[in-house]
Amino acid sequence: MTYITKPQLHHPLLAENSLGFTRRDYEGSVSTLCAGCGHDSISSAIIQACFELDLPPHRIAKLSGIGCSSKTPDYFLGASHGFNTVHGRMPSVLTGANLANKDLIYLGVSGDGDSASIGLGQFAHAVRRGVNMLYIVENNGVYGLTKGQFSATSDKGSKSKRGVVNHDAGIDLVGMALQLGATYVARSFSGDKAQLVPLIKAGLMHKGAAFIDCISPCVQFNNHQGSTKSFDYVREHNEAVNRLDVIPPRGPISVDYAPGETVKVAQHDGSVLSLHKLAELYNPNNRAQALGYLQARQARGQVVTGLLYIDPDSGDLHDSLETVDTPLNQLGQADLVPGSAALAAINAALR
């Protein structure tokens, strides 16, 4: 994988988080992607989210498959654990790592070709099992590494750079994630960092399968008139369902104001948050409503972005399997191999 080492020197007055890390401590090597690639904006958003959440870089495990998107983990969180798997197989490797060590924070990065084609089955099963992870698809609707063929997420009727029309229906990974049981589902746009950073922060803090589909235009092969995943098209058809801000758990701050009013609320860090209550709020806690809203807006040619669904009481795969609190990779032989007497007792209980 190609990369250029980033210089270690930085300005001595760079802001530090509560761990004493600067934003530079969350960066990786210099990107070798095309200048203007949306994927680099997503990498920058991940860096900002992890810095602001005060996450120890060495407690994060980043995994990817094959493709332009799957190169990007080299460009952020250089001090974290990394695993670049084979094409489409990232979810199963992530699941195995998560089962072995539940104490790490798992970040899966994939692309539309990696997840919606060869890895579609892997994506589906990781989501339905509730693996505790944030799964980000950097979705440009094209195979950039092999010169611009349509991918499985290319919209029907969209055109390639050469003017060829796509006659196949596109796979909507957001709709699939909702139907498969993901407990945190969002869509964003690489060119909207103000929306994307809070979505990543909330996804990293969520317990269970969190999924973000991020439209990320390919500047080389899919950023032209006729593409439905170009910068211009997404900006013109973006329908944001909510505006988010993420505050790490601290003492509660409560407000009470009427619909239509605006209030200013002091935060724990001294900043002031201005809240405006809409008369009609999108409810992100209703899975069926989210799916219906998504399909209704798609029929109008709109790209819905924002937090579409969250289950505030979600669990994960370890809850389903009732694993012990201690990570499996920290258990000793006596815990993992309890002996013939314990096996006999289990067999007796099953008779």
Side-chain angles (χ1 to χ4, degrees), residues 140-142 147-150 154-155 157-166 217-234 236-237:
N140 56 20
V142 72
K147 310 302 181 185
Q149 302 95 331
F150 293 119
S154 300
D155 294 307
S158 61
K159 292 182 180 179
S160 71
K161 188 175 181 180
R162 295 184 175 181
V164 179
V165 177
N166 179 33
C218 173
V219 291
Q220 186 65 30
F221 296 107
N222 211 15
N223 191 38
H224 53 84
Q225 191 173 11
S227 166
T228 57
K229 288 182 170 56
S230 66
F231 280 109
D232 288 343
Y233 184 92
V234 178
E236 293 168 3
H237 297 80

Side-chain angles (χ1 to χ4, degrees), residues 321-338:
L321 297 177
E322 299 182 342
T323 60
V324 294
D325 293 335
T326 304
L328 300 184
N329 68 338
Q330 296 179 23
L331 296 177
Q333 185 174 0
D335 300 308
L336 297 171
V337 187

Side-chain angles (χ1 to χ4, degrees), residues 95-96 98-99 126 128-132 207-209 315-323:
T95 301
N98 186 289
L99 285 172
R128 77 180 181 88
R129 286 170 178 148
V131 179
N132 190 18
K207 181 179 181 180
D316 71 348
L317 181 59
H318 286 278
D319 294 332
S320 301
L321 297 177
E322 299 182 342
T323 60

Side-chain angles (χ1 to χ4, degrees), residues 303-321:
V303 180
V304 177
T305 63
L307 177 59
L308 286 155
Y309 176 71
I310 183 171
D311 178 357
D313 302 315
S314 62
D316 71 348
L317 181 59
H318 286 278
D319 294 332
S320 301
L321 297 177

Side-chain angles (χ1 to χ4, degrees), residues 273-321:
L273 181 65
S274 179
L275 298 177
H276 179 77
K277 185 175 290 186
L278 300 177
E280 294 182 1
L281 289 177
Y282 175 85
N283 177 13
N285 299 129
N286 188 316
R287 185 186 297 274
Q289 185 183 61
L291 195 55
Y293 187 91
L294 181 72
Q295 293 174 342
R297 295 291 173 172
Q298 281 178 337
R300 299 182 192 179
Q302 296 174 329
V303 180
V304 177
T305 63
L307 177 59
L308 286 155
Y309 176 71
I310 183 171
D311 178 357
D313 302 315
S314 62
D316 71 348
L317 181 59
H318 286 278
D319 294 332
S320 301
L321 297 177

